[in-house]
PDB file of all heavy atoms in Angstrom:
ATOM      1  N   LEU A  24     -63.828 -76.249 -63.198  1.00  0.00           N
ATOM      2  CA  LEU A  24     -63.032 -76.204 -64.404  1.00  0.00           C
ATOM      3  C   LEU A  24     -63.110 -77.499 -65.159  1.00  0.00           C
ATOM      4  O   LEU A  24     -63.297 -77.501 -66.383  1.00  0.00           O
ATOM      5  CB  LEU A  24     -61.553 -75.920 -63.984  1.00  0.00           C
ATOM      6  CG  LEU A  24     -61.183 -74.531 -63.646  1.00  0.00           C
ATOM      7  CD1 LEU A  24     -59.863 -74.501 -62.812  1.00  0.00           C
ATOM      8  CD2 LEU A  24     -60.921 -73.723 -64.911  1.00  0.00           C
ATOM      9  N   VAL A  25     -62.908 -78.629 -64.439  1.00  0.00           N
ATOM     10  CA  VAL A  25     -62.975 -79.940 -65.098  1.00  0.00           C
ATOM     11  C   VAL A  25     -64.401 -80.288 -65.451  1.00  0.00           C
ATOM     12  O   VAL A  25     -64.686 -80.829 -66.537  1.00  0.00           O
ATOM     13  CB  VAL A  25     -62.365 -80.965 -64.175  1.00  0.00           C
ATOM     14  CG1 VAL A  25     -62.417 -82.385 -64.825  1.00  0.00           C
ATOM     15  CG2 VAL A  25     -60.829 -80.608 -63.918  1.00  0.00           C
ATOM     16  N   PHE A  26     -65.393 -79.964 -64.623  1.00  0.00           N
ATOM     17  CA  PHE A  26     -66.749 -80.160 -64.931  1.00  0.00           C
ATOM     18  C   PHE A  26     -67.182 -79.529 -66.241  1.00  0.00           C
ATOM     19  O   PHE A  26     -67.808 -80.147 -67.082  1.00  0.00           O
ATOM     20  CB  PHE A  26     -67.648 -79.809 -63.774  1.00  0.00           C
ATOM     21  CG  PHE A  26     -69.075 -80.359 -63.826  1.00  0.00           C
ATOM     22  CD1 PHE A  26     -69.440 -81.612 -63.475  1.00  0.00           C
ATOM     23  CD2 PHE A  26     -70.069 -79.490 -64.381  1.00  0.00           C
ATOM     24  CE1 PHE A  26     -70.709 -82.124 -63.442  1.00  0.00           C
ATOM     25  CE2 PHE A  26     -71.331 -80.063 -64.484  1.00  0.00           C
ATOM     26  CZ  PHE A  26     -71.759 -81.295 -64.006  1.00  0.00           C
ATOM     27  N   ASN A  27     -66.844 -78.207 -66.370  1.00  0.00           N
ATOM     28  CA  ASN A  27     -67.219 -77.508 -67.665  1.00  0.00           C
ATOM     29  C   ASN A  27     -66.562 -78.217 -68.840  1.00  0.00           C
ATOM     30  O   ASN A  27     -67.242 -78.329 -69.881  1.00  0.00           O
ATOM     31  CB  ASN A  27     -66.773 -76.041 -67.529  1.00  0.00           C
ATOM     32  CG  ASN A  27     -67.685 -75.224 -66.624  1.00  0.00           C
ATOM     33  OD1 ASN A  27     -68.833 -75.463 -66.525  1.00  0.00           O
ATOM     34  ND2 ASN A  27     -67.067 -74.328 -65.823  1.00  0.00           N
ATOM     35  N   ALA A  28     -65.271 -78.548 -68.672  1.00  0.00           N
ATOM     36  CA  ALA A  28     -64.616 -79.186 -69.768  1.00  0.00           C
ATOM     37  C   ALA A  28     -65.254 -80.564 -70.098  1.00  0.00           C
ATOM     38  O   ALA A  28     -65.366 -80.992 -71.301  1.00  0.00           O
ATOM     39  CB  ALA A  28     -63.112 -79.313 -69.390  1.00  0.00           C
ATOM     40  N   GLN A  29     -65.579 -81.254 -69.004  1.00  0.00           N
ATOM     41  CA  GLN A  29     -66.253 -82.617 -69.160  1.00  0.00           C
ATOM     42  C   GLN A  29     -67.643 -82.462 -69.928  1.00  0.00           C
ATOM     43  O   GLN A  29     -67.891 -83.287 -70.800  1.00  0.00           O
ATOM     44  CB  GLN A  29     -66.515 -83.335 -67.874  1.00  0.00           C
ATOM     45  CG  GLN A  29     -65.223 -83.931 -67.252  1.00  0.00           C
ATOM     46  CD  GLN A  29     -65.494 -84.570 -65.833  1.00  0.00           C
ATOM     47  OE1 GLN A  29     -66.506 -84.111 -65.161  1.00  0.00           O
ATOM     48  NE2 GLN A  29     -64.708 -85.420 -65.435  1.00  0.00           N
ATOM     49  N   ALA A  30     -68.340 -81.441 -69.540  1.00  0.00           N
ATOM     50  CA  ALA A  30     -69.681 -81.205 -70.281  1.00  0.00           C
ATOM     51  C   ALA A  30     -69.343 -80.925 -71.698  1.00  0.00           C
ATOM     52  O   ALA A  30     -70.099 -81.417 -72.552  1.00  0.00           O
ATOM     53  CB  ALA A  30     -70.297 -79.974 -69.539  1.00  0.00           C
ATOM     54  N   GLY A  31     -68.396 -80.048 -72.037  1.00  0.00           N
ATOM     55  CA  GLY A  31     -68.091 -79.823 -73.441  1.00  0.00           C
ATOM     56  C   GLY A  31     -67.619 -81.052 -74.186  1.00  0.00           C
ATOM     57  O   GLY A  31     -67.969 -81.337 -75.289  1.00  0.00           O
ATOM     58  N   GLY A  32     -66.698 -81.837 -73.471  1.00  0.00           N
ATOM     59  CA  GLY A  32     -66.092 -83.049 -74.177  1.00  0.00           C
ATOM     60  C   GLY A  32     -67.098 -84.139 -74.277  1.00  0.00           C
ATOM     61  O   GLY A  32     -66.955 -84.993 -75.170  1.00  0.00           O
ATOM     62  N   SER A  33     -68.108 -84.305 -73.392  1.00  0.00           N
ATOM     63  CA  SER A  33     -68.966 -85.362 -73.334  1.00  0.00           C
ATOM     64  C   SER A  33     -70.191 -85.184 -74.083  1.00  0.00           C
ATOM     65  O   SER A  33     -70.745 -85.851 -74.937  1.00  0.00           O
ATOM     66  CB  SER A  33     -69.386 -85.786 -71.899  1.00  0.00           C
ATOM     67  OG  SER A  33     -68.140 -86.174 -71.111  1.00  0.00           O
ATOM     68  N   VAL A  34     -70.939 -84.023 -73.757  1.00  0.00           N
ATOM     69  CA  VAL A  34     -72.292 -83.701 -74.334  1.00  0.00           C
ATOM     70  C   VAL A  34     -72.164 -82.582 -75.431  1.00  0.00           C
ATOM     71  O   VAL A  34     -72.923 -82.512 -76.325  1.00  0.00           O
ATOM     72  CB  VAL A  34     -73.196 -83.292 -73.205  1.00  0.00           C
ATOM     73  CG1 VAL A  34     -74.599 -83.031 -73.783  1.00  0.00           C
ATOM     74  CG2 VAL A  34     -73.257 -84.277 -72.111  1.00  0.00           C
ATOM     75  N   GLY A  35     -71.180 -81.675 -75.249  1.00  0.00           N
ATOM     76  CA  GLY A  35     -70.959 -80.658 -76.167  1.00  0.00           C
ATOM     77  C   GLY A  35     -71.882 -79.404 -75.892  1.00  0.00           C
ATOM     78  O   GLY A  35     -72.410 -79.267 -74.809  1.00  0.00           O
ATOM     79  N   THR A  36     -72.134 -78.584 -76.878  1.00  0.00           N
ATOM     80  CA  THR A  36     -72.742 -77.324 -76.726  1.00  0.00           C
ATOM     81  C   THR A  36     -74.261 -77.388 -76.439  1.00  0.00           C
ATOM     82  O   THR A  36     -74.845 -76.319 -75.976  1.00  0.00           O
ATOM     83  CB  THR A  36     -72.596 -76.455 -77.876  1.00  0.00           C
ATOM     84  OG1 THR A  36     -72.984 -77.047 -79.097  1.00  0.00           O
ATOM     85  CG2 THR A  36     -71.035 -76.069 -78.050  1.00  0.00           C
TER      86      THR A  36
END
Side-chain angles (χ1 to χ4, degrees):
L24 279 163
V25 178
F26 191 82
N27 287 323
Q29 285 176 335
S33 300
V34 183
T36 55

